[in-house]
Structure formats: structure tokens, C-alpha cells
Amino acid sequence: MRDRAVGVIIKNSQLLLLWRYRDGKEYYTFPGGSMEEGEDEETALRREMFEELNIEIENPKKLFTNINEFGENKRPDHLYLITDFSG
């Protein structure tokens, strides 16, 4: 599994989460997605925010990297704080 770039988007004291439904379960998640071959974290983050939310982001700040475990697979999620965006 590939690393993911993830946005933690806060505006007007509100946090943006996406609602998902998979395998009969519903859950909320931060927007983001897998990094493409040769892509760095910030480039992937900008691409994913535009693809999923149609926004252009400014000055993302790295928060931390979290290791998600899915069965035998481990995947790093690189989380970035986003407070400045347009779209």
C-alpha cells in the first residue's frame, strides 16, 4: 500500500470530515488519498484536495505521520493542517 497525504481542514472553528460507507460500515475520515509514484507529500496533498474538494490550498503545515494498520498492511498517513484555501 502506498503512503497517503491527508488534510486536516479547519475554517471558522469547524473541522471538515468526509462521510464514507464501505463494506456495510459508515465512518468519517479526513480528505486525502494515496501518493502517486514519484510524488512528494505536499504535491500529493495539493492534488488530492483539488480532486476531492475542488480547493486550492496555501501554506499547509505538517502535523505528524500516523501509521494505519489494515490487516497485515501498514500504511503511513501524512497529516497536514490546512487553514488557508480557496475554491
Side-chain angles (χ1 to χ4, degrees), residues 7-16 31 45-46 49-50 53-61 80-87:
V8 177
I9 301 174
I10 299 175
K11 184 171 183 175
N12 299 326
S13 299
Q14 295 182 326
L15 177 65
L16 177 70
L45 179 68
R46 290 178 187 284
M49 295 305 102
F50 188 78
L53 304 171
N54 199 32
I55 63 171
E56 299 281 344
I57 63 173
E58 299 291 330
N59 306 314
K61 294 178 179 43
Y80 283 80
L81 177 64
I82 301 169
T83 58
D84 189 13
F85 59 90
S86 61

Side-chain angles (χ1 to χ4, degrees), residues 57-79:
I57 63 173
E58 299 291 330
N59 306 314
K61 294 178 179 43
K62 177 102 182 234
L63 294 172
F64 58 89
T65 296
N66 181 55
I67 305 299
N68 274 321
E69 296 186 25
F70 295 96
E72 295 179 13
N73 298 315
K74 293 183 181 181
R75 180 191 68 211
D77 285 351
H78 307 283
L79 284 85

Side-chain angles (χ1 to χ4, degrees), residues 13 18 20 29 56 71:
S13 299
L18 301 178
R20 301 274 195 216
T29 187
E56 299 281 344

